[in-house]
Amino acid sequence: METESSSSSSKFKLYEQLELLEFKDKYVIKSLEYPDQGFSIDRSDGNIQLLNDDTCSGSPCQTTTICGVVGTIRLLAGIYVLVITSRKEVGTYLGFPVYRVMSMKFLSCNEALKNSSYQEKKDEAHFMNLLKIVEATPGLYYSYETDITLNLQRRCKLAEGWMAKPTWKQADPRFVWNKNLLEELIEYKLDGFIIPLLQGSFGVAKLKLKDSLATITLVSRRCNRRLGTRMWRRGANFEGDTANFIETEQLLEFEDFRSSLLQIRGSIPLLWEQIVDLSYKPRLNIINHEETPKIVERHFSGLLQRYGEVVAVDLTDKHGDEGQLNAAYAAEMQKLPDVRYFSFDFHHNCGNSNFDNLDVLYDQILEEFEKQGYLLVDAEGNIIQEQKGVIRSNCIDCLDRTNVTQSYLAQKSLSLQLQRIGVLTPTECISMFNEEYLKFRALWAEHGDEISLEYAGTHALKGDLVRYGKQTVSGLIKDGMSAISRYYLNNFHDGVRQDALDLISGHYTVNRNNPSPFQLNGFESFSYLPMASALLIGGLTVTTISVHQVGRNAQQYLSSVVWAGVTAGVLAMVKANGRQFCSRPRLCGLR
C-alpha cells in the first residue's frame, strides 16, 4: 500500500494570501493569488455573494491582509464572520507547513441591531461578549496545503484521489474545531477559503542520534463533540462522547522512514459531574442512570471501530470520591469483554516524584502494548506494519497524571521504533542520549501545558515529572500557583467560557424563540468578582508567606499550599453559601 505522499501533485490547496476590503455596506474577502476568487458579505444582513464585476466598485474604507476565514455564526441581529488576522509558522507535518493562529476577530454584519428591542440589544451584547472570548481561543492550528486532523495511519489508508478533494471534505469531523462555523461557507461552495482548524497542540523536536538526525512531531487533536472547561464538562453524554477527548500522535521521521504512535485520553465515560461551589475540591457526583451501560458501550464501540483493540488505563485514586468513581468505572468495564481495563492508582504508586514507578504499570500492560505496536512506513511508501490498537488513559481531568503516563509510554515506543529502523541497537534506548532525551521530554511537557491551558486555563501540574523525571522545588511552587489559579478560574471565569464554547460549537443555538440568557441565570458577573479577587489575592499572599517560611522544604511547602486552598474553600463555603457567587453557564441547563 502506498501512502498519499506519492501523489502530491494532485493535492488540494487553500488560498493562503487573502485581502479584506471594508466598504460601508459590505465586506469583501478575496484571494491575492487568484483575484477573481472571493466573496462579499452584506453588513446589514450577512448575506453572502460570490465576486462579480460590480462587487469591488468604489473605494473601500479600509484594506487589510488576513490569513484565513474561520467561519460564520448567526446571532439575534445578524451574522458575524470570524477571520484569522495573524499566524505563526510552527513547523511542518509530513513536509507541509503548519501554522498557529495568533489572533482572530469577528466582523459584525448586524445593522438590524438598531431596530431591535431593549432586551434583544442586551442579549446581543451578551452574545458579542462571548464572541470576544472565542477570539482569544488558544491552541488552534492549520495548514494551507494539507489536512492535519487526520493521523498518518488513516491517511495511508485513504482511497486514491482522496487528497484532491477540498480540505474540509478530507478532514476528520471529530477534530475540526470550527465545524459548526463552516456551514454557510460550504453552502456557497467557497472550498478554497474553508480552513479546518485543529485545537490541541503541535510541536517539533530535532534529535541528533549517533550523527543521524531524527525529527519528532507531536500533534494532539481535541474532539469537538463535548467541548468544554474543566469543571463544566465532565464524563460522557448519552451518545458516549467524553469530555477532554484527545488523540495524540507522536510522529518519527528518520531519513525516508516514518513511524507513528497514537494514544488517546478522555474523561471517564460515565454520567458524572463536579459542580463548583467555592470549595477547593468540589464533590464528585455519579449520576445513576439506566442508560449508563449503553453509554459506556457506545463509547468503546466507537473506539474499537476506529482504533482497533483498546486498553483502558485508569489512573484515578482508589479512595475518597475518586475511589467511588474508580469503582463505578471498573464495574462497568467488567461488562465489556472486548476491552482490557487496568486500574493504576497513580498517586499511591508514584506520589509526587517516583516517576520510575510507572514501570509497574508498564509491566502490567506490556503484552498488550507491544501487540498493538506502531505504524511504520518504509522509504518506498509501503506500510511495513500497522498500529493494531490504542492505549486510552484517563485520570480525573485527563491532564496531569495522564500526560506523565502518555509521555512515558511514548518514550518506550520511540525506543522500539528507533531500534526497528536500525538507529539504536536492541540494548539502547532514547534515555541514554541525555541532551536529546531532554528535548524529547521538553516536547511532551510543552504539549501537556498547552492541553491544560485549553481545558483548565493553567499550565499542567506535575510538569517536572515529564520534563526531568522528578519533582523540583521550583516545580512545586509552579504547581501551587497553578492550583490556585485553577481554583479561581474554575469558580469565577469558566462558566462564561463554557457558554462561549457552547455557542460556537452549536450546543446552544441563538434564535428569538429561546429565552433570554438573563432569564436562565439571575446573577450578573459583577456579583462574584469582588469575592473572586479577594480569594485570589488571599491565596497568593498565603502562598508567598509559605514559600518564605519553608524555604527548600518541598514537602512542607506543598502542605502549606494545600491547606491554603482548603482554608480558602471552607471560608468561602461558610460565608457565602457557595454556589451563588460562582460563574455559572447561562446558556444550557443540561450539562
Side-chain angles (χ1 to χ4, degrees):
M1 182 184 299
E2 290 191 351
T3 68
E4 48 82 21
S5 61
S6 62
S7 57
S8 59
S9 60
S10 62
K11 283 184 174 53
F12 184 90
K13 187 176 183 298
L14 296 168
Y15 301 133
E16 184 170 349
Q17 300 178 47
L18 303 181
E19 189 174 49
L20 170 64
L21 294 84
E22 301 183 34
F23 294 87
K24 289 184 178 180
D25 61 337
K26 61 178 175 281
Y27 294 106
V28 175
I29 297 174
K30 65 177 185 177
S31 168
L32 289 174
E33 304 150 285
Y34 304 93
D36 61 330
Q37 297 296 313
F39 60 99
S40 65
I41 312 107
D42 192 296
R43 295 182 75 156
S44 62
D45 56 16
N47 284 339
I48 293 176
Q49 290 187 341
L50 299 181
L51 283 187
N52 57 51
D53 294 339
D54 299 326
T55 302
C56 297
S57 60
S59 299
C61 305
Q62 186 176 352
T63 301
T64 54
T65 300
I66 60 174
C67 306
V69 182
V70 176
T72 65
I73 186 168
R74 187 177 293 275
L75 302 182
L76 291 172
I79 280 183
Y80 297 79
V81 184
L82 183 58
V83 298
I84 301 170
T85 53
S86 64
R87 71 192 185 198
K88 178 182 179 182
E89 186 172 346
V90 291
T92 61
Y93 183 75
L94 302 175
F96 301 106
V98 174
Y99 298 88
R100 176 174 182 156
V101 174
M102 301 305 292
S103 62
M104 301 185 290
K105 75 171 181 179
F106 276 98
L107 308 176
S108 303
C109 304
N110 60 354
E111 292 296 320
L113 188 61
K114 294 183 294 187
N115 302 319
S116 300
S117 67
Y118 169 78
Q119 187 61 55
E120 287 173 341
K121 289 179 180 178
K122 185 179 179 181
D123 291 349
E124 190 81 349
H126 175 67
F127 293 133
M128 290 172 67
N129 284 333
L130 297 182
L131 297 186
K132 288 291 183 184
I133 296 173
V134 173
E135 289 178 344
T137 301
L140 298 178
Y141 297 90
Y142 68 98
S143 174
Y144 296 104
E145 300 182 45
T146 193
D147 168 51
I148 60 173
T149 66
L150 290 177
N151 60 63
L152 179 58
Q153 182 152 311
R154 286 198 66 194
R155 293 165 73 102
C156 288
K157 294 183 175 182
L158 293 176
E160 187 175 352
W162 178 264
M163 305 306 286
K165 292 184 177 182
T167 307
W168 69 268
K169 289 186 177 180
Q170 302 174 27
D172 187 331
R174 297 178 305 157
F175 301 131
V176 179
W177 175 82
N178 54 330
K179 177 176 178 287
N180 188 61
L181 305 179
L182 297 177
E183 292 177 359
E184 295 210 39
L185 300 180
I186 292 172
E187 180 183 344
Y188 285 91
K189 296 182 172 58
L190 295 167
D191 294 340
F193 295 91
I194 300 174
I195 298 177
L197 289 182
L198 167 74
Q199 188 184 38
S201 72
F202 186 92
V204 180
K206 304 284 187 180
L207 308 183
K208 190 175 183 181
L209 303 168
K210 299 182 177 180
D211 297 325
S212 298
L213 191 64
T215 301
I216 306 293
T217 304
L218 194 59
V219 188
S220 280
R221 305 174 174 100
R222 181 182 298 280
C223 182
N224 57 28
R225 293 178 179 172
R226 195 159 164 75
L227 279 179
T229 57
R230 179 172 173 249
M231 289 296 183
W232 294 108
R233 276 291 183 268
R234 295 295 207 188
N237 58 20
F238 284 97
E239 289 71 40
D241 305 313
T242 61
N244 205 24
F245 184 89
I246 296 170
E247 174 190 276
T248 298
E249 178 181 27
Q250 178 178 282
L251 175 67
L252 167 66
E253 295 176 277
F254 177 77
E255 295 179 350
D256 292 325
F257 286 94
R258 287 173 176 167
S259 62
S260 74
L261 173 74
L262 291 176
Q263 297 187 74
I264 55 177
R265 69 177 77 189
S267 192
I268 291 177
L270 307 178
L271 298 176
W272 63 281
E273 61 186 2
Q274 194 172 16
I275 302 298
V276 295
D277 56 7
L278 291 183
S279 60
Y280 182 72
K281 193 173 183 179
R283 297 296 302 271
L284 300 176
N285 177 37
I286 303 172
I287 302 170
N288 294 317
H289 197 285
E290 60 182 8
E291 286 286 308
T292 294
K294 292 182 180 179
I295 290 170
V296 178
E297 184 181 1
R298 288 186 195 114
H299 176 73
F300 281 100
S301 176
L303 298 184
L304 288 164
Q305 184 177 6
R306 188 170 296 273
Y307 296 104
E309 177 188 309
V310 178
V311 173
V313 175
D314 182 9
L315 303 167
T316 55
D317 298 347
K318 294 187 177 182
H319 60 274
D321 280 3
E322 282 195 24
Q324 295 178 29
L325 188 58
N326 174 285
Y329 185 26
E332 292 298 332
M333 294 306 292
Q334 290 179 0
K335 305 172 187 176
L336 298 180
D338 295 332
V339 179
R340 293 296 305 277
Y341 170 80
F342 294 89
S343 178
F344 180 80
D345 188 332
F346 185 98
H347 285 146
H348 175 74
N349 286 282
C350 299
N352 290 313
S353 58
N354 297 319
F355 183 79
D356 291 339
N357 283 4
L358 281 172
D359 285 341
V360 176
L361 170 64
Y362 188 68
D363 289 341
Q364 292 176 12
I365 66 172
L366 177 60
E367 182 178 349
E368 287 81 4
F369 186 62
E370 291 188 343
K371 179 182 175 183
Q372 289 179 359
Y374 48 84
L375 174 72
L376 180 60
V377 181
D378 69 11
E380 283 72 42
N382 300 309
I383 295 179
I384 299 174
Q385 72 173 54
E386 295 183 25
Q387 184 173 339
K388 299 176 182 177
V390 70
I391 304 292
R392 183 203 189 277
S393 303
N394 74 266
C395 47
I396 289 296
D397 298 328
C398 302
L399 294 175
D400 314 317
R401 288 171 279 183
T402 299
N403 203 58
V404 173
T405 303
Q406 286 196 341
S407 67
Y408 177 89
L409 296 176
Q411 165 212 326
K412 292 290 188 181
S413 180
L414 179 60
S415 292
L416 293 173
Q417 294 168 42
L418 291 170
Q419 291 170 6
R420 176 70 182 273
I421 62 179
V423 179
L424 302 181
T425 68
T427 59
E428 293 176 323
C429 59
I430 185 66
S431 60
M432 298 171 65
F433 300 83
N434 292 335
E435 289 187 13
E436 310 313 305
Y437 189 37
L438 282 175
K439 293 179 188 176
F440 172 81
R441 281 181 154 176
L443 183 67
W444 269 91
E446 290 161 7
H447 147 87
D449 282 341
E450 191 160 16
I451 293 299
S452 180
L453 279 168
E454 294 159 13
Y455 187 55
T458 73
H459 287 156
L461 308 184
K462 298 180 175 65
D464 277 2
L465 289 182
V466 178
R467 196 179 294 271
Y468 306 116
K470 62 182 180 180
Q471 190 66 276
T472 65
V473 173
S474 62
L476 282 169
I477 295 173
K478 180 181 176 183
D479 284 357
M481 301 298 280
S482 291
I484 292 173
S485 295
R486 282 185 183 182
Y487 172 82
Y488 172 74
L489 293 170
N490 296 161
N491 280 279
F492 307 113
H493 279 272
D494 282 356
V496 178
R497 198 157 66 97
Q498 183 64 58
D499 277 344
L501 291 171
D502 285 338
L503 184 63
I504 57 98
S505 62
H507 291 299
Y508 178 88
T509 303
V510 176
N511 64 64
R512 297 180 186 274
N513 296 323
N514 284 344
S516 165
F518 296 97
Q519 294 172 334
L520 298 176
N521 185 330
F523 297 103
E524 300 289 348
S525 59
F526 59 75
S527 67
Y528 53 75
L529 282 178
M531 172 164 279
S533 300
L535 283 174
L536 178 64
I537 293 171
L540 293 176
T541 301
V542 171
T543 303
T544 303
I545 293 172
S546 299
V547 172
H548 285 298
Q549 287 180 341
V550 303
R552 296 180 177 277
N553 190 328
Q555 185 175 1
Q556 188 177 350
Y557 166 75
L558 184 59
S559 176
S560 301
V561 171
V562 171
W563 279 110
V566 171
T567 302
V570 172
L571 182 63
M573 284 290 290
V574 171
K575 289 189 174 183
N577 196 20
R579 296 186 183 183
Q580 62 176 315
F581 292 98
C582 296
S583 166
R584 305 178 65 76
R586 297 177 184 274
L587 300 187
C588 291
L590 180 61
R591 291 281 140 190

